[in-house]
Amino acid sequence: MIKKRLVGLLSHAKKYIVYQVLWQWLALLCQVVMIYSAAMLLEDALTNSVTAQMAASYGLLAAAALLLRFACDRKASHASYRASVDVKRILRDKIYSKLLRLGASYRESVTTSEVVQMAAEGVEQLETYFGKYLSQLIYSLLAPVTLFLILSFVNWQASLVLLICVPLIPISIVAVQKIAKKLLNKYWGIYTELGDSFLENLQGLTTLKIYRSDQQKAREMDQESQRFRQITMKVLTMQLNSTSVMDIIAYGGAAVGMAVTLMQLMEGNVSVHGALMLILLASEFFIPLRLLGSFFHIAMNGMAASDKIFALLDLPEPEEKSRTLTGTQMDLEFSEVRFSYEKDREILKGVSMEFPMGSFTSLVGTSGCGKSTAAAILMGRNQGYRGSVTVGGIELSEIQENSLMDQITLVSHNSYLFKGTVEDNLRMGKPDAIEEEMREALRKVNLWGFLQSQQGLATPVLEKGSNFSGGQCQRLAIARALLHDTPVYIFDEATSNIDAESEEMIMDVIHGLAETKTILLISHRLANVVASDRIYMMKDGRVAQTGTHSQLMERDGEYAKLYRSQMELEQYGKEATA
């Protein structure tokens, strides 16, 4: 019922848990004093021996105990808050730090939706574990023993009966735990799958609408939701049944204790005020454990979530990399590189390529030939490749990720724009950029004119840049990349899915960059790569041809065929729209 690793992870909370138990225990003693005062007063009232002074004395004692109990309860609540206040922050920091250590390739090990669920609801569940469950567990063991030691002086037989009934509740909790652990692990597994499907379908909703597949996906989501509903109902049924069992034990135990007390009273073995104390305090033997049972189900859910969190934290991390790049020598080279996402499907099959510093090199080929996979390897996103990939003569696997990101900038066809303003997005490329630098970058991509008609750098950007056109989003992403100002730029289909005017503007920017930077351009449209210093034509995961545009056209191979085919299609399109 106590997860040592979880407690050890947040060891600073231990003292607040101890404080919470201490204040709860003092509050219990105050409760005993109040009950004692009331019982004595009632006994004197029954015997008609109550005096004003006696009533005032017992009244003041009860009032003082009540005020002290109120103060203890407040202190216990504060300690509970202090025990749990940092839980969410620390666990989320650890999750985030782990993702940073895993690097850009973290998606190979865990899905984004699973991380979001762990960092959100999973961590929320653990707040109760630290804030209430752990302290209640200790207090639940301390309270019955304390009451027994006090009430045994009143009547040990009745006190012993009450104490003997108490362990029945933890026995039922342990029995439930075995069932609950399997059930809650299954619950979290189904919950994660549902969240993964929901996120994927939400992100692809437009595509689903286009192909009229939204109804099919909705039916699949309904089936997954039904599975989740069923497992949720099983969890709730388990919780309700266990709660009912604990209630029966608690009320039954208190009733047995009261019955024994009344028998002892009838036999003259206990005074009236003693009997009243036993009857009024009988429930206090069981209430702490009953509350523990209530927190137990939430705590179990949190512990099930912690299993997922620890599974993430235990993922093997890439070996510590020690080499850094200076940016002065940035030749890139692939040598017999092989890579596969699945064991039986190889994407890159012994690829060898060179990208000299200051060169403008292009990768072309049909979809699925491995162009983007090669770019992802260079950016450190795809690890586990075989062969050799060097940057500036240093093996890629030895280069620190931060150093790599400082020297290479990737601009893909789906570069992400964040909710905020144009300035917020540009400052990601260069946090200390002055406004004139940002305006100049926007002028280079021919976007400043449009933004001037809006709110300039303060123009709002919605999530994923949904209030901009596709071409404007891409130009803003390239302006951000220009501000990053690295020696190497990789453009991975940066001109796909945008209008011809935006494509031409972007290619002008790329050609301008090629005068001073090392450029790797990946493009499906061969007209964009004509001016390249070297072109690699890829097919089926291999380099089929290499050379300049004119050399490849003279050879009349795969490149030439694809180029002529595209030109014919474009010419046909122009004639059709003329």
Side-chain angles (χ1 to χ4, degrees):
M1 289 190 282
I2 295 180
K3 204 158 193 172
K4 293 181 180 178
R5 183 178 178 185
L6 197 56
V7 175
L9 190 67
L10 298 152
S11 56
H12 73 285
K14 289 180 182 178
K15 64 178 181 179
Y16 295 111
I17 293 170
V18 172
Y19 293 157
Q20 190 178 356
V21 173
L22 178 62
W23 289 118
Q24 286 178 304
W25 184 71
L26 290 174
L28 176 65
L29 295 181
C30 292
Q31 177 79 354
V32 172
V33 173
M34 285 190 295
I35 296 296
Y36 170 77
S37 301
M40 290 298 294
L41 197 59
L42 285 171
E43 184 179 47
D44 290 340
L46 288 172
T47 58
N48 296 319
S49 59
V50 179
T51 63
Q53 184 179 359
M54 186 182 297
S57 299
Y58 285 129
L60 286 173
L61 183 61
L66 179 63
L67 290 173
L68 189 56
R69 169 153 189 169
F70 175 75
C72 290
D73 287 339
R74 289 291 301 271
K75 287 288 188 180
S77 296
H78 180 71
S80 172
Y81 166 75
R82 294 299 304 170
S84 62
V85 65
D86 291 332
V87 169
K88 292 188 284 188
R89 179 184 60 80
I90 291 174
L91 284 175
R92 285 170 181 156
D93 280 349
K94 287 187 177 294
I95 291 171
Y96 182 64
S97 298
K98 180 66 177 186
L99 293 178
L100 290 179
R101 292 196 299 274
L102 288 174
S105 61
Y106 81 91
R107 293 183 188 178
E108 295 178 4
S109 305
V110 62
T111 63
T112 301
S113 63
E114 189 173 0
V115 172
V116 170
Q117 287 165 335
M118 283 189 289
E121 187 171 346
V123 171
E124 292 285 347
Q125 298 283 356
L126 285 169
E127 185 180 19
T128 300
Y129 180 82
F130 281 94
K132 296 186 181 296
Y133 173 76
L134 288 177
S135 60
Q136 190 65 34
L137 176 63
I138 300 169
Y139 175 67
S140 297
L141 301 175
L142 183 62
V145 174
T146 301
L147 288 170
F148 172 74
L149 293 175
I150 293 172
L151 294 177
S152 61
F153 291 101
V154 177
N155 184 270
W156 69 268
Q157 293 94 333
S159 302
L160 184 61
V161 168
L162 288 168
L163 185 65
I164 290 172
C165 291
V166 167
L168 295 176
I169 292 180
I171 288 171
S172 69
I173 291 176
V174 171
V176 168
Q177 184 184 20
K178 294 181 179 179
I179 303 171
K181 187 172 183 180
K182 293 180 181 178
L183 196 60
L184 288 170
N185 283 335
K186 188 176 181 182
Y187 167 87
W188 268 97
I190 294 175
Y191 176 64
T192 302
E193 291 173 8
L194 179 63
D196 200 15
S197 298
F198 177 77
L199 182 62
E200 182 182 39
N201 291 337
L202 186 64
Q203 291 175 333
L205 186 58
T206 301
T207 303
L208 293 175
K209 286 285 186 182
I210 291 171
Y211 292 102
R212 297 181 178 275
S213 297
D214 51 320
Q215 291 297 325
Q216 174 61 28
K217 285 294 182 181
R219 285 191 291 271
E220 292 176 8
M221 280 287 292
D222 285 342
Q223 291 174 359
E224 292 186 46
S225 299
Q226 182 69 6
R227 286 179 60 215
F228 181 65
R229 184 192 68 80
Q230 290 171 348
I231 193 68
T232 301
M233 291 307 297
K234 287 182 179 179
V235 170
L236 292 175
T237 301
M238 178 269 297
Q239 291 177 347
L240 181 61
N241 290 339
S242 61
T243 300
S244 300
V245 170
M246 285 185 285
D247 283 340
I248 291 170
I249 294 172
Y251 296 134
V256 170
M258 292 176 188
V260 173
T261 300
L262 290 173
M263 289 173 61
Q264 291 293 310
L265 177 64
M266 291 172 64
E267 293 174 4
N269 295 328
V270 63
S271 62
V272 173
H273 80 270
L276 286 171
M277 285 185 67
L278 283 164
I279 290 171
L280 293 174
L281 290 172
S283 61
E284 295 294 333
F285 276 83
F286 303 96
I287 286 175
L289 280 166
R290 175 63 188 82
L291 285 175
L292 177 67
S294 300
F295 298 142
F296 170 75
H297 297 296
I298 301 174
M300 280 298 296
N301 208 355
M303 284 190 281
S306 74
D307 290 337
K308 296 280 186 181
I309 293 172
F310 285 130
L312 170 65
L313 297 180
D314 289 339
L315 286 175
E317 298 174 12
E319 293 182 8
E320 191 68 28
K321 300 174 182 179
S322 57
R323 306 293 295 276
T324 58
L325 299 171
T326 61
T328 55
Q329 181 61 36
M330 290 297 293
D331 293 336
L332 312 178
E333 184 177 354
F334 276 58
S335 179
E336 289 297 318
V337 174
R338 296 179 178 273
F339 180 82
S340 58
Y341 295 104
E342 301 168 3
K343 291 182 179 180
D344 57 345
R345 189 170 67 91
E346 197 171 39
I347 304 300
L348 298 182
K349 306 171 182 177
V351 171
S352 295
M353 297 182 288
E354 293 180 359
F355 311 98
M357 185 175 179
S359 66
F360 180 9
T361 309
S362 295
L363 288 183
V364 299
T366 56
S367 296
C369 66
K371 306 186 299 294
S372 295
T373 299
I377 288 175
L378 274 175
M379 293 303 297
R381 293 183 178 180
N382 289 342
Q383 299 184 6
Y385 63 86
R386 289 170 291 161
S388 174
V389 179
T390 59
V391 181
I394 304 173
E395 188 63 39
L396 181 65
S397 59
E398 299 176 5
I399 301 172
Q400 293 179 4
E401 186 176 67
N402 288 342
S403 179
L404 188 67
M405 299 302 169
D406 287 340
Q407 304 300 329
I408 303 178
T409 299
L410 172 69
V411 180
S412 65
H413 67 282
N414 59 348
S415 295
Y416 201 93
L417 296 180
F418 292 84
K419 183 179 180 181
T421 64
V422 169
E423 182 177 350
D424 293 335
N425 278 273
L426 290 178
R427 287 197 182 280
M428 292 177 187
K430 187 178 182 182
D432 59 347
I434 61 175
E435 289 192 4
E436 183 54 38
E437 286 180 297
M438 290 187 278
R439 284 193 287 267
E440 181 60 27
L442 291 167
R443 289 191 192 100
K444 288 181 179 179
V445 297
N446 201 22
L447 193 57
W448 179 241
F450 165 74
L451 292 174
Q452 280 183 306
S453 66
Q454 304 297 311
Q455 299 177 41
L457 293 173
T459 301
V461 179
L462 299 183
E463 184 181 2
K464 295 185 179 180
S466 57
N467 56 327
F468 287 76
S469 69
Q472 289 170 336
C473 286
Q474 200 64 355
R475 280 183 276 164
L476 179 55
I478 291 176
R480 180 173 61 191
L482 293 177
L483 285 170
H484 199 213
D485 193 26
T486 55
V488 180
Y489 282 86
I490 301 174
F491 294 92
D492 184 4
E493 300 287 8
T495 60
S496 64
N497 304 322
I498 58 175
D499 58 275
E501 181 184 2
S502 294
E503 181 178 12
E504 185 176 350
M505 293 176 184
I506 289 171
M507 287 309 304
D508 287 342
V509 172
I510 292 174
H511 288 137
L513 271 176
E515 296 176 5
T516 57
K517 307 290 185 181
T518 303
I519 302 296
L520 170 56
L521 174 64
I522 297 172
S523 179
H524 66 284
R525 186 166 181 258
L526 301 192
N528 291 334
V529 307
V530 171
S532 302
D533 299 326
R534 181 181 295 177
I535 300 169
Y536 287 100
M537 174 71 186
M538 295 189 67
K539 183 178 180 181
D540 299 329
R542 294 184 173 88
V543 176
Q545 289 183 294
T546 181
T548 62
H549 172 73
S550 57
Q551 290 172 341
L552 294 174
M553 292 301 293
E554 287 175 5
R555 294 173 192 166
D556 197 26
E558 294 287 341
Y559 176 87
K561 292 177 183 176
L562 186 59
Y563 180 81
R564 284 194 291 267
S565 175
Q566 288 185 2
M567 291 302 100
E568 289 172 5
L569 285 172
E570 290 185 19
Q571 184 60 34
Y572 177 78
K574 291 177 182 178
E575 292 174 356
T577 55

